[in-house]
Each structure stands twice: as structure tokens, then as C-alpha cells.
Amino acid sequence: MVKTTSFPYPFIAGILISAADIDERVRRIGEEITRDYEGSDRLLLLGLLRGSVMFITDLMRSIQRPLTMDFMSISSYSGSESSGFIRIDSDHKTNIHGWDVILVDDIVDTGYTIHTVRRLLLDRQPRSLRVCALLDKKERHRVDIPLDYVGFEIPDHFVVGYGLDIDEKGRNLPYIASVDLEKYRTTLS
Ligand code: IMP
Ligand code: MG
């Protein structure tokens, strides 16, 4: 058999962000959060499942503060395009009233997910609420959302890896890779 690619999925077009660059950037964000939350005794990292899992577990190891971790599971009602309607499949367990919450997600696209979850969390009266996203497709935003910590701004390409998926595939890649959508469709069967 001739090996035509070193990628474990046939639809990978190339590496956009290397594992080393992610590692370095996540460390920096961790240092920033460590500085910003000096004196905080109720810091909660609240991740959105499942895309943020790899990011949040790396990030928390770079934060030198006492903290806890919780998760929410969210899904979009729409197909491929975000419609702005999101559904909560599983809520967080922590009572966040009086907590310093950092909402952690893998990627911001239209911004509807963060926009909606943020408003919901604010109703629950945390002491503070900030948003941290590994990736940001800034040019795709359709709502104005405050992003306090951003790993990388990326162009409007569909990406997988480091927790991000396309139909549940690609999460295990240690880097961020761009997807060849044409190839993805033809290799589906
Ligand atoms: P938004 O509500 O449009 O900001 O959508 C954000 C969600 O869409 C993310 O949490 C991801 O689950 C998903 N998403 C958007 N772009 C990508 C991508 O390039 N790769 C993988 N998932 C993505
Ligand atoms: Mg997501």
C-alpha cells in the first residue's frame, strides 16, 4: 500500500496551528488568568461539551489558582449553519451564584452560542463572568459578544482537531487542521 498522507483522516487539507503553538498559547492564557484572578477563591471554569474538553484540561493545568471545573452540553437546532437557536442538553451542576465564572469554548463562529449561554449564566448571578475561546472566526460573527481570552483568530475555514470535530471525527488530532470539505463529502461513504 502506498502511503499518500501522514494524516489519520483523508479529509485533512493541512495543519493550521501546530501542537507546539497551541501548547505555548494555552500556557500564556493560563498565566494571564492566573494574574487576573489573584485573590479569587471561587473560580469556576465552565466548559461547553464536547469541543472544549481538550482545551479546558490543558488550560486548567496552566492556572495557578484554586479552581473547579464544570460543563454544559449545548447543541444547535440548525444543520450546518448556526441559526441562533440553541438547546441545553445538559446543564452545569455548580450553583454559580457569587462565583467568578470563565465560560470556555472551543471556537466562536457566529457567536450565537456564547451570546445565548452568556445571557443565561448572567441570570444566575455569578460574581463575574468572562469568556475564553481557543479559536475565533471573527469575520463570521453575527452578534456582538465580549471575548476576554482568545487563543487564535482564524480565517473562515472549517477546522478540526484538539477537541473540534466534523460529525464527531477529528477530535483526537493534537493540532488544528483545516478540512477539505469537498474531499470530506466524497469520502463519506
Ligand atoms: P456559533 O454559535 O456559530 O458561534 O457556533 C459555535 C459552535 O459551532 C462551536 O462551539 C462549534 O461546536 C461549532 N463550530 C463552528 N465552526 C467550527 C469549525 O470550524 N470546526 C468545528 N466546529 C465548529
Ligand atoms: Mg461547540
Side-chain angles (χ1 to χ4, degrees), residues 49 51 105-106:
L49 292 172
D105 203 6
D106 52 357

PDB file of all heavy atoms in Angstrom, residues 49 51 105-106, ligand 2:
ATOM      1  N   LEU A  49     -19.453  21.269  26.267  1.00  0.00           N
ATOM      2  CA  LEU A  49     -19.130  19.947  25.720  1.00  0.00           C
ATOM      3  C   LEU A  49     -19.529  19.871  24.255  1.00  0.00           C
ATOM      4  O   LEU A  49     -20.488  20.497  23.859  1.00  0.00           O
ATOM      5  CB  LEU A  49     -19.887  18.866  26.501  1.00  0.00           C
ATOM      6  CG  LEU A  49     -19.437  18.683  27.959  1.00  0.00           C
ATOM      7  CD1 LEU A  49     -20.379  17.747  28.698  1.00  0.00           C
ATOM      8  CD2 LEU A  49     -18.008  18.158  28.018  1.00  0.00           C
ATOM      9  N   GLY A  51     -16.536  19.995  22.514  1.00  0.00           N
ATOM     10  CA  GLY A  51     -15.370  20.576  21.837  1.00  0.00           C
ATOM     11  C   GLY A  51     -14.310  21.185  22.732  1.00  0.00           C
ATOM     12  O   GLY A  51     -13.142  21.250  22.364  1.00  0.00           O
ATOM     13  N   ASP A 105     -15.034  27.848  25.553  1.00  0.00           N
ATOM     14  CA  ASP A 105     -15.498  27.097  24.377  1.00  0.00           C
ATOM     15  C   ASP A 105     -14.350  26.899  23.395  1.00  0.00           C
ATOM     16  O   ASP A 105     -13.319  27.554  23.477  1.00  0.00           O
ATOM     17  CB  ASP A 105     -16.686  27.801  23.710  1.00  0.00           C
ATOM     18  CG  ASP A 105     -17.537  26.822  22.886  1.00  0.00           C
ATOM     19  OD1 ASP A 105     -17.265  25.602  22.923  1.00  0.00           O
ATOM     20  OD2 ASP A 105     -18.458  27.273  22.195  1.00  0.00           O
ATOM     21  N   ASP A 106     -14.560  25.975  22.481  1.00  0.00           N
ATOM     22  CA  ASP A 106     -13.511  25.667  21.512  1.00  0.00           C
ATOM     23  C   ASP A 106     -13.378  26.755  20.443  1.00  0.00           C
ATOM     24  O   ASP A 106     -12.295  27.220  20.143  1.00  0.00           O
ATOM     25  CB  ASP A 106     -13.757  24.293  20.860  1.00  0.00           C
ATOM     26  CG  ASP A 106     -15.174  24.138  20.279  1.00  0.00           C
ATOM     27  OD1 ASP A 106     -16.013  25.068  20.407  1.00  0.00           O
ATOM     28  OD2 ASP A 106     -15.454  23.062  19.703  1.00  0.00           O
TER      29      ASP A 106
HETATM   30 MG    MG B   2     -19.324  23.671  20.369  1.00  0.00          MG
END
